[in-house]
Protein backbone atom coordinates (compact mmCIF):
# COMPACT_ATOMS: atom_id res chain seq x y z
CA UNK A 1 0.00 0.00 0.00
CA UNK A 2 2.82 2.43 0.90
CA UNK A 3 4.44 1.75 -2.49
CA UNK A 4 1.15 2.63 -4.20
CA UNK A 5 0.82 -0.79 -5.82
CA UNK A 6 -2.11 -2.16 -3.82
CA UNK A 7 -4.86 -3.36 -6.12
CA UNK A 8 -8.57 -3.45 -5.17
CA UNK A 9 -8.72 -7.22 -5.66
CA UNK A 10 -5.91 -7.67 -3.11
CA UNK A 11 -8.03 -5.79 -0.59
CA UNK A 12 -10.98 -8.01 -1.55
CA UNK A 13 -8.89 -11.12 -0.97
CA UNK A 14 -7.75 -9.93 2.46
CA UNK A 15 -11.21 -8.87 3.58
CA UNK A 16 -12.88 -12.03 2.29
CA UNK A 17 -10.44 -14.39 3.99
CA UNK A 18 -10.07 -12.41 7.20
CA UNK A 19 -13.81 -12.29 7.93
CA UNK A 20 -14.48 -15.84 6.74
CA UNK A 21 -11.79 -17.22 9.09
CA UNK A 22 -12.89 -15.02 12.00
CA UNK A 23 -16.46 -16.34 11.72
CA UNK A 24 -15.23 -19.91 11.52
CA UNK A 25 -13.09 -19.42 14.65
CA UNK A 26 -16.09 -17.90 16.43
CA UNK A 27 -18.28 -20.88 15.49
CA UNK A 28 -15.61 -23.28 16.78
CA UNK A 29 -15.37 -21.34 20.05
CA UNK A 30 -19.14 -21.50 20.37
CA UNK A 31 -19.29 -25.31 19.94
CA UNK A 32 -16.34 -25.85 22.30
CA UNK A 33 -18.46 -24.18 24.98
CA UNK A 34 -21.45 -26.39 24.14
CA UNK A 35 -24.73 -25.07 25.54
CA UNK A 36 -22.85 -22.34 27.38
CA UNK A 37 -21.70 -21.04 24.00
CA UNK A 38 -25.21 -19.87 23.22
CA UNK A 39 -25.94 -18.23 26.58
CA UNK A 40 -25.31 -14.60 27.48
CA UNK A 41 -22.92 -15.69 30.24
CA UNK A 42 -20.18 -16.02 27.62
CA UNK A 43 -19.40 -13.40 24.94
CA UNK A 44 -19.11 -15.78 21.97
CA UNK A 45 -22.48 -14.90 20.44
CA UNK A 46 -21.71 -11.20 20.84
CA UNK A 47 -18.62 -11.75 18.68
CA UNK A 48 -20.67 -13.86 16.25
CA UNK A 49 -23.30 -11.17 15.70
CA UNK A 50 -20.63 -8.50 15.43
CA UNK A 51 -18.85 -10.58 12.78
CA UNK A 52 -22.11 -10.92 10.81
CA UNK A 53 -22.06 -7.09 10.58
CA UNK A 54 -18.41 -7.13 9.50
CA UNK A 55 -19.29 -9.77 6.89
CA UNK A 56 -21.83 -7.32 5.42
CA UNK A 57 -20.13 -3.96 5.37
CA UNK A 58 -17.30 -3.24 2.91
CA UNK A 59 -18.64 -6.14 0.83
CA UNK A 60 -20.02 -9.60 1.47
CA UNK A 61 -18.19 -12.82 0.60
CA UNK A 62 -20.26 -13.01 -2.60
CA UNK A 63 -19.21 -9.52 -3.70
CA UNK A 64 -15.50 -10.18 -3.09
CA UNK A 65 -15.72 -13.49 -4.91
CA UNK A 66 -17.14 -11.62 -7.91
CA UNK A 67 -14.29 -9.08 -7.74
CA UNK A 68 -11.69 -11.86 -7.49
CA UNK A 69 -13.36 -13.84 -10.28
CA UNK A 70 -13.12 -10.82 -12.56
CA UNK A 71 -9.45 -10.25 -11.64
CA UNK A 72 -8.59 -13.90 -12.35
CA UNK A 73 -10.61 -14.41 -15.53
CA UNK A 74 -11.01 -10.90 -16.93
CA UNK A 75 -14.74 -11.63 -17.18
CA UNK A 76 -17.49 -9.69 -15.38
CA UNK A 77 -20.09 -11.90 -13.67
CA UNK A 78 -21.90 -8.74 -12.53
CA UNK A 79 -22.95 -5.33 -13.78
C1 LIG B 1 -23.26 -2.54 10.96
C2 LIG B 1 -23.16 -1.89 9.60
C3 LIG B 1 -22.48 -0.70 9.48
C4 LIG B 1 -22.38 -0.08 8.24
N1 LIG B 1 -21.68 1.07 8.15
C5 LIG B 1 -21.57 1.71 6.99
C6 LIG B 1 -20.83 2.94 6.87
O1 LIG B 1 -20.26 3.44 7.85
N2 LIG B 1 -20.74 3.54 5.67
C7 LIG B 1 -21.36 3.01 4.55
O2 LIG B 1 -21.24 3.60 3.48
N3 LIG B 1 -22.06 1.85 4.64
C8 LIG B 1 -22.19 1.19 5.82
N4 LIG B 1 -22.89 0.02 5.90
C9 LIG B 1 -23.58 -0.44 4.70
C10 LIG B 1 -22.83 -1.62 4.10
O3 LIG B 1 -21.64 -1.20 3.49
C11 LIG B 1 -23.81 -2.28 3.10
O4 LIG B 1 -24.82 -2.85 3.91
C12 LIG B 1 -23.09 -3.31 2.25
O5 LIG B 1 -22.26 -2.66 1.29
C13 LIG B 1 -24.07 -4.23 1.54
O6 LIG B 1 -25.02 -3.48 0.80
P1 LIG B 1 -26.58 -3.81 0.96
O7 LIG B 1 -26.93 -3.95 2.42
O8 LIG B 1 -27.29 -2.77 0.12
O9 LIG B 1 -26.76 -5.24 0.34
P2 LIG B 1 -26.85 -5.63 -1.22
O10 LIG B 1 -25.73 -4.98 -1.98
O11 LIG B 1 -28.26 -5.40 -1.68
O12 LIG B 1 -26.56 -7.19 -1.11
C14 LIG B 1 -27.54 -8.14 -0.65
C15 LIG B 1 -27.06 -9.52 -1.02
O13 LIG B 1 -26.99 -9.64 -2.45
C16 LIG B 1 -25.67 -9.99 -2.84
N5 LIG B 1 -25.38 -9.27 -4.09
C17 LIG B 1 -25.47 -7.93 -4.31
N6 LIG B 1 -25.14 -7.63 -5.58
C18 LIG B 1 -24.84 -8.82 -6.19
C19 LIG B 1 -24.43 -9.17 -7.52
N7 LIG B 1 -24.27 -8.25 -8.49
N8 LIG B 1 -24.20 -10.47 -7.78
C20 LIG B 1 -24.37 -11.42 -6.82
N9 LIG B 1 -24.77 -11.15 -5.54
C21 LIG B 1 -24.98 -9.87 -5.24
C22 LIG B 1 -24.76 -9.59 -1.69
O14 LIG B 1 -23.58 -10.37 -1.63
C23 LIG B 1 -25.65 -9.88 -0.49
O15 LIG B 1 -25.59 -11.24 -0.14
C24 LIG B 1 -23.00 -0.65 7.10
C25 LIG B 1 -23.71 -1.86 7.25
C26 LIG B 1 -23.77 -2.48 8.46
C27 LIG B 1 -24.51 -3.81 8.58
Amino acid sequence: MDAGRLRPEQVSFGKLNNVREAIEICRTARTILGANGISLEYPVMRHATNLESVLTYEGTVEMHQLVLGKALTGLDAFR
Side-chain angles (χ1 to χ4, degrees):
M1 188 175 181
D2 288 346
R5 290 181 306 170
L6 186 69
R7 291 165 31 197
E9 53 268 30
Q10 290 174 308
V11 176
S12 278
F13 187 55
K15 201 271 176 172
L16 167 88
N17 198 51
N18 178 306
V19 178
R20 194 165 52 188
E21 290 303 317
I23 287 180
E24 195 51 44
I25 289 164
C26 201
R27 286 188 182 134
T28 302
R30 176 256 170 285
T31 54
I32 286 171
L33 288 169
N36 286 328
I38 209 121
S39 75
L40 290 177
E41 260 178 275
Y42 297 85
V44 181
M45 293 307 285
R46 182 173 61 80
H47 289 297
T49 51
N50 182 53
L51 283 166
E52 290 297 335
S53 296
V54 181
L55 178 71
T56 308
Y57 56 64
E58 307 295 341
T60 57
V61 168
E62 290 89 345
M63 298 307 298
H64 290 299
Q65 285 174 336
L66 289 169
V67 169
L68 290 170
K70 182 183 175 186
L72 290 170
T73 66
L75 301 172
D76 264 341
F78 58 95
R79 290 181 182 208

